[in-house]
Each structure stands twice: as structure tokens, then as C-alpha cells.
PDB file of all heavy atoms in Angstrom:
ATOM      1  N   VAL A 241       0.843  -1.200  -0.001  1.00 98.00           N
ATOM      2  CA  VAL A 241       0.001  -0.001   0.000  1.00 98.00           C
ATOM      3  C   VAL A 241       0.876   1.248   0.000  1.00 98.00           C
ATOM      4  O   VAL A 241       0.556   2.247  -0.627  1.00 98.00           O
ATOM      5  CB  VAL A 241      -0.959  -0.002   1.209  1.00 98.00           C
ATOM      6  CG1 VAL A 241      -1.759   1.301   1.245  1.00 98.00           C
ATOM      7  CG2 VAL A 241      -1.914  -1.183   1.136  1.00 98.00           C
ATOM      8  N   ALA A 242       1.991   1.180   0.713  1.00 98.00           N
ATOM      9  CA  ALA A 242       2.957   2.282   0.675  1.00 98.00           C
ATOM     10  C   ALA A 242       3.881   2.062  -0.522  1.00 98.00           C
ATOM     11  O   ALA A 242       4.564   1.046  -0.602  1.00 98.00           O
ATOM     12  CB  ALA A 242       3.760   2.326   1.968  1.00 98.00           C
ATOM     13  N   GLU A 243       3.914   3.011  -1.441  1.00 98.00           N
ATOM     14  CA  GLU A 243       4.805   2.867  -2.592  1.00 98.00           C
ATOM     15  C   GLU A 243       6.205   3.353  -2.263  1.00 98.00           C
ATOM     16  O   GLU A 243       7.169   3.007  -2.957  1.00 98.00           O
ATOM     17  CB  GLU A 243       4.250   3.591  -3.808  1.00 98.00           C
ATOM     18  CG  GLU A 243       4.025   5.080  -3.634  1.00 98.00           C
ATOM     19  CD  GLU A 243       3.382   5.696  -4.877  1.00 98.00           C
ATOM     20  OE1 GLU A 243       3.234   4.969  -5.880  1.00 98.00           O
ATOM     21  OE2 GLU A 243       3.035   6.895  -4.848  1.00 98.00           O
ATOM     22  N   SER A 244       6.352   4.119  -1.176  1.00 98.00           N
ATOM     23  CA  SER A 244       7.675   4.550  -0.726  1.00 98.00           C
ATOM     24  C   SER A 244       7.583   4.998   0.730  1.00 98.00           C
ATOM     25  O   SER A 244       6.486   5.225   1.267  1.00 98.00           O
ATOM     26  CB  SER A 244       8.210   5.698  -1.599  1.00 98.00           C
ATOM     27  OG  SER A 244       7.400   6.858  -1.466  1.00 98.00           O
ATOM     28  N   TRP A 245       8.716   5.122   1.371  1.00 98.00           N
ATOM     29  CA  TRP A 245       8.769   5.581   2.759  1.00 98.00           C
ATOM     30  C   TRP A 245      10.129   6.207   3.014  1.00 98.00           C
ATOM     31  O   TRP A 245      11.094   5.978   2.276  1.00 98.00           O
ATOM     32  CB  TRP A 245       8.509   4.426   3.737  1.00 98.00           C
ATOM     33  CG  TRP A 245       9.408   3.238   3.533  1.00 98.00           C
ATOM     34  CD1 TRP A 245      10.594   2.961   4.129  1.00 98.00           C
ATOM     35  CD2 TRP A 245       9.154   2.144   2.645  1.00 98.00           C
ATOM     36  NE1 TRP A 245      11.108   1.779   3.680  1.00 98.00           N
ATOM     37  CE2 TRP A 245      10.251   1.251   2.767  1.00 98.00           C
ATOM     38  CE3 TRP A 245       8.114   1.816   1.760  1.00 98.00           C
ATOM     39  CZ2 TRP A 245      10.342   0.062   2.036  1.00 98.00           C
ATOM     40  CZ3 TRP A 245       8.205   0.639   1.030  1.00 98.00           C
ATOM     41  CH2 TRP A 245       9.300  -0.224   1.175  1.00 98.00           C
ATOM     42  N   GLU A 246      10.211   7.007   4.064  1.00 97.00           N
ATOM     43  CA  GLU A 246      11.454   7.707   4.366  1.00 97.00           C
ATOM     44  C   GLU A 246      11.556   8.016   5.850  1.00 97.00           C
ATOM     45  O   GLU A 246      10.548   8.109   6.560  1.00 97.00           O
ATOM     46  CB  GLU A 246      11.528   8.998   3.548  1.00 97.00           C
ATOM     47  CG  GLU A 246      10.355   9.938   3.798  1.00 97.00           C
ATOM     48  CD  GLU A 246      10.193  11.013   2.728  1.00 97.00           C
ATOM     49  OE1 GLU A 246      10.056  10.648   1.545  1.00 97.00           O
ATOM     50  OE2 GLU A 246      10.207  12.201   3.106  1.00 97.00           O
ATOM     51  N   THR A 247      12.788   8.145   6.306  1.00 97.00           N
ATOM     52  CA  THR A 247      13.066   8.568   7.673  1.00 97.00           C
ATOM     53  C   THR A 247      14.463   9.158   7.704  1.00 97.00           C
ATOM     54  O   THR A 247      15.342   8.737   6.941  1.00 97.00           O
ATOM     55  CB  THR A 247      12.965   7.412   8.672  1.00 97.00           C
ATOM     56  OG1 THR A 247      13.172   7.918  10.003  1.00 97.00           O
ATOM     57  CG2 THR A 247      14.009   6.328   8.397  1.00 97.00           C
ATOM     58  N   THR A 248      14.673  10.127   8.567  1.00 95.00           N
ATOM     59  CA  THR A 248      16.004  10.717   8.726  1.00 95.00           C
ATOM     60  C   THR A 248      16.624  10.351  10.065  1.00 95.00           C
ATOM     61  O   THR A 248      17.828  10.487  10.246  1.00 95.00           O
ATOM     62  CB  THR A 248      15.934  12.257   8.618  1.00 95.00           C
ATOM     63  OG1 THR A 248      15.019  12.769   9.616  1.00 95.00           O
ATOM     64  CG2 THR A 248      15.448  12.676   7.230  1.00 95.00           C
ATOM     65  N   ASP A 249      15.788   9.866  10.984  1.00 93.00           N
ATOM     66  CA  ASP A 249      16.290   9.603  12.338  1.00 93.00           C
ATOM     67  C   ASP A 249      15.846   8.254  12.902  1.00 93.00           C
ATOM     68  O   ASP A 249      16.095   7.953  14.065  1.00 93.00           O
ATOM     69  CB  ASP A 249      15.824  10.714  13.290  1.00 93.00           C
ATOM     70  CG  ASP A 249      14.303  10.864  13.334  1.00 93.00           C
ATOM     71  OD1 ASP A 249      13.604  10.060  12.664  1.00 93.00           O
ATOM     72  OD2 ASP A 249      13.814  11.760  14.033  1.00 93.00           O
ATOM     73  N   HIS A 250      15.176   7.419  12.102  1.00 93.00           N
ATOM     74  CA  HIS A 250      14.668   6.115  12.539  1.00 93.00           C
ATOM     75  C   HIS A 250      13.617   6.229  13.647  1.00 93.00           C
ATOM     76  O   HIS A 250      13.269   5.234  14.264  1.00 93.00           O
ATOM     77  CB  HIS A 250      15.802   5.217  13.031  1.00 93.00           C
ATOM     78  CG  HIS A 250      16.938   5.095  12.076  1.00 93.00           C
ATOM     79  ND1 HIS A 250      16.831   4.455  10.866  1.00 93.00           N
ATOM     80  CD2 HIS A 250      18.219   5.553  12.152  1.00 93.00           C
ATOM     81  CE1 HIS A 250      17.996   4.511  10.232  1.00 93.00           C
ATOM     82  NE2 HIS A 250      18.838   5.173  10.976  1.00 93.00           N
ATOM     83  N   GLN A 251      13.127   7.431  13.862  1.00 96.00           N
ATOM     84  CA  GLN A 251      12.123   7.645  14.917  1.00 96.00           C
ATOM     85  C   GLN A 251      10.827   8.206  14.353  1.00 96.00           C
ATOM     86  O   GLN A 251       9.749   7.932  14.881  1.00 96.00           O
ATOM     87  CB  GLN A 251      12.687   8.585  15.994  1.00 96.00           C
ATOM     88  CG  GLN A 251      11.807   8.687  17.224  1.00 96.00           C
ATOM     89  CD  GLN A 251      12.500   9.328  18.404  1.00 96.00           C
ATOM     90  OE1 GLN A 251      13.714   9.559  18.381  1.00 96.00           O
ATOM     91  NE2 GLN A 251      11.765   9.615  19.464  1.00 96.00           N
ATOM     92  N   THR A 252      10.931   8.956  13.296  1.00 98.00           N
ATOM     93  CA  THR A 252       9.747   9.450  12.591  1.00 98.00           C
ATOM     94  C   THR A 252       9.784   8.905  11.171  1.00 98.00           C
ATOM     95  O   THR A 252      10.777   9.086  10.450  1.00 98.00           O
ATOM     96  CB  THR A 252       9.715  10.989  12.548  1.00 98.00           C
ATOM     97  OG1 THR A 252       9.676  11.503  13.883  1.00 98.00           O
ATOM     98  CG2 THR A 252       8.489  11.483  11.786  1.00 98.00           C
ATOM     99  N   TYR A 253       8.719   8.210  10.790  1.00 98.00           N
ATOM    100  CA  TYR A 253       8.644   7.581   9.473  1.00 98.00           C
ATOM    101  C   TYR A 253       7.477   8.175   8.686  1.00 98.00           C
ATOM    102  O   TYR A 253       6.384   8.356   9.233  1.00 98.00           O
ATOM    103  CB  TYR A 253       8.441   6.073   9.601  1.00 98.00           C
ATOM    104  CG  TYR A 253       9.657   5.326  10.103  1.00 98.00           C
ATOM    105  CD1 TYR A 253       9.935   5.229  11.468  1.00 98.00           C
ATOM    106  CD2 TYR A 253      10.522   4.692   9.208  1.00 98.00           C
ATOM    107  CE1 TYR A 253      11.051   4.536  11.928  1.00 98.00           C
ATOM    108  CE2 TYR A 253      11.637   3.992   9.659  1.00 98.00           C
ATOM    109  CZ  TYR A 253      11.898   3.921  11.021  1.00 98.00           C
ATOM    110  OH  TYR A 253      12.998   3.233  11.470  1.00 98.00           O
ATOM    111  N   ILE A 254       7.734   8.461   7.420  1.00 98.00           N
ATOM    112  CA  ILE A 254       6.695   8.957   6.528  1.00 98.00           C
ATOM    113  C   ILE A 254       6.439   7.910   5.440  1.00 98.00           C
ATOM    114  O   ILE A 254       7.362   7.479   4.747  1.00 98.00           O
ATOM    115  CB  ILE A 254       7.107  10.293   5.858  1.00 98.00           C
ATOM    116  CG1 ILE A 254       7.381  11.373   6.919  1.00 98.00           C
ATOM    117  CG2 ILE A 254       6.018  10.756   4.886  1.00 98.00           C
ATOM    118  CD1 ILE A 254       6.156  11.767   7.737  1.00 98.00           C
ATOM    119  N   PHE A 255       5.187   7.492   5.314  1.00 98.00           N
ATOM    120  CA  PHE A 255       4.800   6.509   4.299  1.00 98.00           C
ATOM    121  C   PHE A 255       3.914   7.191   3.257  1.00 98.00           C
ATOM    122  O   PHE A 255       2.917   7.830   3.616  1.00 98.00           O
ATOM    123  CB  PHE A 255       4.045   5.345   4.939  1.00 98.00           C
ATOM    124  CG  PHE A 255       4.876   4.539   5.887  1.00 98.00           C
ATOM    125  CD1 PHE A 255       4.939   4.868   7.238  1.00 98.00           C
ATOM    126  CD2 PHE A 255       5.617   3.455   5.427  1.00 98.00           C
ATOM    127  CE1 PHE A 255       5.720   4.122   8.119  1.00 98.00           C
ATOM    128  CE2 PHE A 255       6.401   2.708   6.299  1.00 98.00           C
ATOM    129  CZ  PHE A 255       6.457   3.052   7.651  1.00 98.00           C
ATOM    130  N   ASN A 256       4.294   7.040   1.997  1.00 98.00           N
ATOM    131  CA  ASN A 256       3.528   7.616   0.890  1.00 98.00           C
ATOM    132  C   ASN A 256       2.670   6.522   0.281  1.00 98.00           C
ATOM    133  O   ASN A 256       3.186   5.580  -0.334  1.00 98.00           O
ATOM    134  CB  ASN A 256       4.485   8.204  -0.150  1.00 98.00           C
ATOM    135  CG  ASN A 256       5.407   9.246   0.467  1.00 98.00           C
ATOM    136  OD1 ASN A 256       4.944  10.233   1.031  1.00 98.00           O
ATOM    137  ND2 ASN A 256       6.713   9.022   0.383  1.00 98.00           N
ATOM    138  N   LEU A 257       1.365   6.629   0.447  1.00 98.00           N
ATOM    139  CA  LEU A 257       0.446   5.586   0.007  1.00 98.00           C
ATOM    140  C   LEU A 257       0.084   5.733  -1.466  1.00 98.00           C
ATOM    141  O   LEU A 257       0.038   6.851  -1.998  1.00 98.00           O
ATOM    142  CB  LEU A 257      -0.836   5.619   0.852  1.00 98.00           C
ATOM    143  CG  LEU A 257      -0.822   4.899   2.203  1.00 98.00           C
ATOM    144  CD1 LEU A 257       0.308   5.395   3.099  1.00 98.00           C
ATOM    145  CD2 LEU A 257      -2.155   5.057   2.904  1.00 98.00           C
ATOM    146  N   ARG A 258      -0.192   4.625  -2.107  1.00 98.00           N
ATOM    147  CA  ARG A 258      -0.596   4.624  -3.516  1.00 98.00           C
ATOM    148  C   ARG A 258      -1.957   5.287  -3.676  1.00 98.00           C
ATOM    149  O   ARG A 258      -2.886   4.990  -2.940  1.00 98.00           O
ATOM    150  CB  ARG A 258      -0.703   3.188  -4.036  1.00 98.00           C
ATOM    151  CG  ARG A 258       0.579   2.407  -3.955  1.00 98.00           C
ATOM    152  CD  ARG A 258       0.377   0.991  -4.469  1.00 98.00           C
ATOM    153  NE  ARG A 258       1.596   0.223  -4.251  1.00 98.00           N
ATOM    154  CZ  ARG A 258       2.659   0.253  -5.060  1.00 98.00           C
ATOM    155  NH1 ARG A 258       2.628   1.013  -6.146  1.00 98.00           N
ATOM    156  NH2 ARG A 258       3.728  -0.468  -4.791  1.00 98.00           N
ATOM    157  N   GLU A 259      -2.070   6.115  -4.666  1.00 97.00           N
ATOM    158  CA  GLU A 259      -3.354   6.765  -4.908  1.00 97.00           C
ATOM    159  C   GLU A 259      -4.348   5.826  -5.564  1.00 97.00           C
ATOM    160  O   GLU A 259      -5.557   6.080  -5.543  1.00 97.00           O
ATOM    161  CB  GLU A 259      -3.145   8.023  -5.764  1.00 97.00           C
ATOM    162  CG  GLU A 259      -2.334   9.103  -5.032  1.00 97.00           C
ATOM    163  CD  GLU A 259      -2.283  10.413  -5.790  1.00 97.00           C
ATOM    164  OE1 GLU A 259      -2.969  10.519  -6.838  1.00 97.00           O
ATOM    165  OE2 GLU A 259      -1.568  11.332  -5.339  1.00 97.00           O
ATOM    166  N   ASP A 260      -3.840   4.719  -6.154  1.00 98.00           N
ATOM    167  CA  ASP A 260      -4.750   3.775  -6.814  1.00 98.00           C
ATOM    168  C   ASP A 260      -5.089   2.579  -5.930  1.00 98.00           C
ATOM    169  O   ASP A 260      -5.707   1.621  -6.398  1.00 98.00           O
ATOM    170  CB  ASP A 260      -4.160   3.296  -8.134  1.00 98.00           C
ATOM    171  CG  ASP A 260      -2.765   2.689  -7.989  1.00 98.00           C
ATOM    172  OD1 ASP A 260      -2.175   2.803  -6.905  1.00 98.00           O
ATOM    173  OD2 ASP A 260      -2.277   2.100  -8.978  1.00 98.00           O
ATOM    174  N   ALA A 261      -4.702   2.612  -4.649  1.00 98.00           N
ATOM    175  CA  ALA A 261      -5.070   1.526  -3.736  1.00 98.00           C
ATOM    176  C   ALA A 261      -6.539   1.673  -3.358  1.00 98.00           C
ATOM    177  O   ALA A 261      -6.974   2.743  -2.922  1.00 98.00           O
ATOM    178  CB  ALA A 261      -4.191   1.565  -2.496  1.00 98.00           C
ATOM    179  N   LYS A 262      -7.313   0.577  -3.510  1.00 98.00           N
ATOM    180  CA  LYS A 262      -8.745   0.628  -3.226  1.00 98.00           C
ATOM    181  C   LYS A 262      -9.184  -0.551  -2.364  1.00 98.00           C
ATOM    182  O   LYS A 262      -8.553  -1.606  -2.358  1.00 98.00           O
ATOM    183  CB  LYS A 262      -9.545   0.607  -4.537  1.00 98.00           C
ATOM    184  CG  LYS A 262      -9.370   1.830  -5.402  1.00 98.00           C
ATOM    185  CD  LYS A 262     -10.238   1.741  -6.653  1.00 98.00           C
ATOM    186  CE  LYS A 262     -10.081   2.972  -7.515  1.00 98.00           C
ATOM    187  NZ  LYS A 262     -10.933   2.903  -8.746  1.00 98.00           N
ATOM    188  N   TRP A 263     -10.288  -0.354  -1.677  1.00 98.00           N
ATOM    189  CA  TRP A 263     -10.961  -1.444  -0.982  1.00 98.00           C
ATOM    190  C   TRP A 263     -11.774  -2.225  -1.999  1.00 98.00           C
ATOM    191  O   TRP A 263     -12.066  -1.721  -3.093  1.00 98.00           O
ATOM    192  CB  TRP A 263     -11.874  -0.899   0.113  1.00 98.00           C
ATOM    193  CG  TRP A 263     -11.128  -0.262   1.251  1.00 98.00           C
ATOM    194  CD1 TRP A 263     -10.888   1.063   1.436  1.00 98.00           C
ATOM    195  CD2 TRP A 263     -10.519  -0.942   2.356  1.00 98.00           C
ATOM    196  NE1 TRP A 263     -10.160   1.268   2.587  1.00 98.00           N
ATOM    197  CE2 TRP A 263      -9.917   0.041   3.179  1.00 98.00           C
ATOM    198  CE3 TRP A 263     -10.404  -2.271   2.736  1.00 98.00           C
ATOM    199  CZ2 TRP A 263      -9.223  -0.247   4.345  1.00 98.00           C
ATOM    200  CZ3 TRP A 263      -9.726  -2.589   3.910  1.00 98.00           C
ATOM    201  CH2 TRP A 263      -9.144  -1.585   4.694  1.00 98.00           C
ATOM    202  N   SER A 264     -12.150  -3.425  -1.649  1.00 98.00           N
ATOM    203  CA  SER A 264     -12.882  -4.277  -2.597  1.00 98.00           C
ATOM    204  C   SER A 264     -14.271  -3.744  -2.926  1.00 98.00           C
ATOM    205  O   SER A 264     -14.910  -4.211  -3.869  1.00 98.00           O
ATOM    206  CB  SER A 264     -12.988  -5.705  -2.056  1.00 98.00           C
ATOM    207  OG  SER A 264     -13.569  -5.726  -0.762  1.00 98.00           O
ATOM    208  N   ASN A 265     -14.756  -2.757  -2.162  1.00 98.00           N
ATOM    209  CA  ASN A 265     -16.051  -2.138  -2.489  1.00 98.00           C
ATOM    210  C   ASN A 265     -15.876  -0.862  -3.304  1.00 98.00           C
ATOM    211  O   ASN A 265     -16.861  -0.170  -3.594  1.00 98.00           O
ATOM    212  CB  ASN A 265     -16.844  -1.846  -1.213  1.00 98.00           C
ATOM    213  CG  ASN A 265     -16.218  -0.736  -0.371  1.00 98.00           C
ATOM    214  OD1 ASN A 265     -15.074  -0.330  -0.608  1.00 98.00           O
ATOM    215  ND2 ASN A 265     -16.959  -0.263   0.619  1.00 98.00           N
ATOM    216  N   GLY A 266     -14.619  -0.532  -3.653  1.00 98.00           N
ATOM    217  CA  GLY A 266     -14.360   0.641  -4.481  1.00 98.00           C
ATOM    218  C   GLY A 266     -13.892   1.871  -3.733  1.00 98.00           C
ATOM    219  O   GLY A 266     -13.422   2.835  -4.342  1.00 98.00           O
ATOM    220  N   ASP A 267     -13.999   1.886  -2.407  1.00 98.00           N
ATOM    221  CA  ASP A 267     -13.524   3.024  -1.631  1.00 98.00           C
ATOM    222  C   ASP A 267     -12.003   3.122  -1.721  1.00 98.00           C
ATOM    223  O   ASP A 267     -11.308   2.096  -1.796  1.00 98.00           O
ATOM    224  CB  ASP A 267     -13.914   2.882  -0.161  1.00 98.00           C
ATOM    225  CG  ASP A 267     -15.400   3.044   0.089  1.00 98.00           C
ATOM    226  OD1 ASP A 267     -16.110   3.494  -0.836  1.00 98.00           O
ATOM    227  OD2 ASP A 267     -15.858   2.711   1.207  1.00 98.00           O
ATOM    228  N   PRO A 268     -11.457   4.346  -1.691  1.00 98.00           N
ATOM    229  CA  PRO A 268      -9.999   4.477  -1.699  1.00 98.00           C
ATOM    230  C   PRO A 268      -9.409   4.058  -0.351  1.00 98.00           C
ATOM    231  O   PRO A 268     -10.052   4.213   0.700  1.00 98.00           O
ATOM    232  CB  PRO A 268      -9.784   5.970  -1.950  1.00 98.00           C
ATOM    233  CG  PRO A 268     -11.021   6.623  -1.413  1.00 98.00           C
ATOM    234  CD  PRO A 268     -12.148   5.657  -1.712  1.00 98.00           C
TER     235      PRO A 268
END
């Protein structure tokens, strides 16, 4: 679901989620 992630200090992590990821009912 995360297409990329980053951290500079191993304590705060940022995850960039895919915009085309959907639930099976069509919700994003």
C-alpha cells in the first residue's frame, strides 16, 4: 500500500500511500 517511505532519524517515518489503492467495495 505504501509505494515509498522515508526517515532521517529512525524515529519518525513517513509513508507515501498509492493513490490507486482501493478497498474491494471501491472506496480508496
Side-chain angles (χ1 to χ4, degrees):
V241 176
E243 59 184 354
S244 65
W245 54 92
E246 58 197 57
T247 183
T248 58
D249 58 3
H250 309 292
Q251 189 166 351
T252 299
Y253 289 84
I254 300 295
F255 295 90
N256 303 302
L257 277 56
R258 300 179 186 278
E259 295 188 6
D260 55 350
K262 293 182 179 180
W263 292 98
S264 55
N265 69 348
D267 290 348

